[in-house]
């Protein structure tokens, strides 16, 4: 029959088949982290979290904090390549009547996905009525100033060598560091980086984290970043659970590819997660056999989003998850991914 498979159809089918095998092979050898390695890393992070809780309670009993906790891909089975980082979430308690949040789109910066936290009622509750007034800059709660409070504590007044020797780890604050990070050597060749991440949970449930805008302009300094991580990760996992799908595997492969290719380092987990969630709205087949097709589609969709300069956040479409990339970064990412479309296996060579 004239409509039979042509030579090139066959070739393409064979290429897809081998990409499929390569992706799962890559997943087994490069992406997935052995359970034992993950468990030891989690243990080390937990030990340090416990020490810090004791220290903060003793040293600063009146600092209004909720209990600190660990989070991140290490705890969601979404970490890739090496078990080497986690976030220590530090939830601040704010008095409801003294602080209010203003969405970034309603400010002169006009950045959806970022917020200002304004001090209210200063006339009735003067400065220092709230513990966190010490971190107020120009009438707003400054994430930078909050980080500095913890930086002084963590880098200045905690005896890390002493704590480290009790736990049998080598712990030291990483300097300089944007985000206040501890480096923990917990085995001879194993290091773990723990970021302090101060967090505000507003009355409507909005989570804001003290992670600066990447394009560190002075006018951005007071902005808190809205975090969608918990909800977007849960959504991805739920979709996989419904149909035994490969969305999380696809995400992990993509994360590993971005981690191992310097030209793709600027893409982060949230961007990749959202690109996959957007793809899920169009594409139903996420069976294990479809991994290669979906992976190629993910690359193609990223190229498209980069061309448009826009990747909407699934949970809040006005948020552009590419808004912190510079033009040269967009160009380099777009070019690298575009080239990868014709040689996807090149991405897997490490
Ligand atoms: P990975 O670091 O690429 O493995 O990805 P994660 O999913 O662990 O994301 C960690 C990054 O997301 C860090 O840079 C955090 O600053 C940021 N982030 C935003 N919101 C959250 C949150 O609620 N929890 C954690 N752990 N990280 C968050």
């Amino acid at each position: 029959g004239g409509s039979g498979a042509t030579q090139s159809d066959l070739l393409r089918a064979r290429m897809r088949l081998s990409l499929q095998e390569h992706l799962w092979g890559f997943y087994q050898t490069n992406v997935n982290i052995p359970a034992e390695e993950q468990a030891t890393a989690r243990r080390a992070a937990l030990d340090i979290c416990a020490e810090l809780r004791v220290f903060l309670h003793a040293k600063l009993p009146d600092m209004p904090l909720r209990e600190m906790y660990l989070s991140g891909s290490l705890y969601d089975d979404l970490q890739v390549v090496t078990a080497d980082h986690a976030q220590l979430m530090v939830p601040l308690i704010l008095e409801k009547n003294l602080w209010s949040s203003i969405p970034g789109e309603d400010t002169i910066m006009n950045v959806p996905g970022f917020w200002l936290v304004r001090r209210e009622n200063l006339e009735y509750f003067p400065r220092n009525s709230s513990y966190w007034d010490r971190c107020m800059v120009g009438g707003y709660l400054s994430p930078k100033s909050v980080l500095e409070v913890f930086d002084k504590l963590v880098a200045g007044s905690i005896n890390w060598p002493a704590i480290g020797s009790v736990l049998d780890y080598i712990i030291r604050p990483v300097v300089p560091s944007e985000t206040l990070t501890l480096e923990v050597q917990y085995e001879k060749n194993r290091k773990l980086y723990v970021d302090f991440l101060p967090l505000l949970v507003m009355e409507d449930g909005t989570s804001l984290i003290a992670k600066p805008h990447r394009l560190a302009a002075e006018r951005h300094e007071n902005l808190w970043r809205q975090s969608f991580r918990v909800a977007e990760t849960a959504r991805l996992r739920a979709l996989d659970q419904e149909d035994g799908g490969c969305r999380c595997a696809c995400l992990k492969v993509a994360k590993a590819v971005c981690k191992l290719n310097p030209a793709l380092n600027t893409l982060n987990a949230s961007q990749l997660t959202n690109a996959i969630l957007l793809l899920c709205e169009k594409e139903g087949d996420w069976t294990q056999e479809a991994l290669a097709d979906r992976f190629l589609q993910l690359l193609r969709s990223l190229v498209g989003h980069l061309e448009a300069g826009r990747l909407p956040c699934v949970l809040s479409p006005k948020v552009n998850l590419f808004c912190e990339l510079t033009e040269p970064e967009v160009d380099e990412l777009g070019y690298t991914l575009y080239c990868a479309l014709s040689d996807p296996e090149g991405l897997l060579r490490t």
Side-chain angles (χ1 to χ4, degrees):
S3 61
T6 64
Q7 194 86 5
S8 80
D9 283 338
L10 281 173
L11 194 64
R12 212 170 305 135
R14 201 172 317 132
M15 269 175 58
R16 258 214 307 278
L17 190 65
S18 86
L19 177 61
Q20 175 77 7
E21 285 163 0
H22 273 97
L23 284 173
W24 282 115
F26 180 73
Y27 184 84
Q28 293 307 335
T29 53
N30 295 80
V31 179
N32 219 23
I33 304 168
E36 175 272 334
E37 183 183 336
Q38 293 190 52
T40 341
R42 286 192 196 117
R43 174 85 254 154
L46 211 59
D47 287 344
I48 288 175
C49 181
E51 280 304 322
L52 273 166
R53 279 181 180 166
V54 172
F55 175 86
L56 285 179
H57 280 309
K59 177 113 181 167
L60 297 161
D62 58 341
M63 188 191 265
L65 295 179
R66 271 178 237 296
E67 203 78 272
M68 296 185 283
Y69 61 94
L70 288 154
S71 113
S73 54
L74 186 59
Y75 297 88
D76 299 316
D77 201 20
L78 290 173
Q79 197 147 105
V80 297
V81 187
T82 39
D84 61 3
H85 63 280
Q87 280 74 39
L88 182 63
M89 311 304 281
V90 186
L92 314 191
I93 298 174
L94 295 183
E95 299 84 351
K96 284 192 190 82
N97 55 330
L98 300 189
W99 302 94
S100 70
S101 51
I102 305 160
E105 59 270 34
D106 295 349
T107 69
I108 52 164
M109 280 84 77
N110 189 19
V111 269
F114 289 84
W115 297 68
L116 287 173
V117 177
R118 189 171 59 202
R119 178 64 154 83
E120 303 290 347
N121 288 321
L122 264 171
E123 57 281 31
Y124 300 111
F125 300 96
R127 204 182 172 105
N128 293 328
S129 305
S130 170
Y131 181 94
W132 296 111
D133 281 346
R134 68 195 65 194
C135 299
M136 184 168 41
V137 174
Y140 298 95
L141 184 64
S142 156
K144 196 169 170 237
S145 170
V146 169
L147 278 167
E148 278 162 11
V149 165
F150 287 102
D151 189 43
K152 283 209 192 81
L153 268 173
V154 169
S157 52
I158 301 185
N159 187 349
W160 288 115
I163 293 177
S165 70
V166 171
L167 297 172
D168 207 13
Y169 304 138
I170 301 168
I171 311 171
R172 54 177 198 87
V174 177
V175 272
S177 113
E178 257 287 271
T179 53
L180 191 49
T181 304
L182 289 178
E183 181 195 274
V184 184
Q185 182 157 357
Y186 63 98
E187 267 175 33
K188 211 159 182 216
N189 315 311
R190 287 187 183 171
K191 275 186 187 166
L192 177 73
Y193 293 88
V194 182
D195 292 330
F196 272 69
L197 202 50
L199 166 82
L200 310 173
V201 180
M202 306 312 289
E203 245 180 299
D204 65 353
T206 306
S207 287
L208 305 177
I209 56 176
K211 187 179 178 188
H213 194 286
R214 255 189 99 228
L215 311 177
E218 205 167 324
R219 66 197 188 111
H220 287 149
E221 264 180 14
N222 276 347
L223 290 173
W224 289 78
R225 176 188 301 266
Q226 185 168 1
S227 169
F228 300 97
R229 189 181 180 287
V230 172
E232 63 202 17
T233 305
R235 184 176 293 194
L236 195 74
R237 170 131 308 125
L239 287 170
D240 264 2
Q241 255 153 18
E242 278 168 29
D243 61 6
C246 67
R247 298 168 191 84
C248 289
C250 187
L251 172 64
K252 287 168 81 172
V253 168
K255 280 177 64 168
V257 158
C258 292
K259 191 169 182 168
L260 298 169
N261 290 269
L264 298 176
N265 278 175
T266 40
L267 283 180
N268 64 35
S270 165
Q271 291 156 342
L272 296 170
T273 303
N274 278 278
I276 294 176
L277 286 173
L278 285 169
L279 212 51
C280 292
E281 292 173 2
K282 291 194 291 199
E283 196 52 66
D285 179 8
W286 288 88
T287 51
Q288 312 287 308
E289 295 71 37
L291 179 65
D293 287 336
R294 295 296 84 79
F295 181 72
L296 283 173
Q297 219 174 358
L298 173 63
L299 299 183
R300 220 174 291 125
S301 79
L302 284 168
V303 171
H305 292 304
L306 286 162
E307 271 168 4
R310 194 173 162 75
L311 172 64
C313 172
V314 167
L315 297 161
S316 179
K318 60 180 181 285
V319 175
N320 177 9
L321 296 171
F322 283 162
C323 78
E324 291 166 86
L325 293 174
T326 64
E327 225 168 283
E329 285 170 340
V330 169
D331 290 345
E332 182 175 30
L333 288 169
Y335 176 75
T336 309
L337 290 171
Y338 179 78
C339 295
L341 287 176
S342 51
D343 176 28
E345 303 198 3
L347 291 176
L348 311 182
R349 271 173 229 127
T350 53

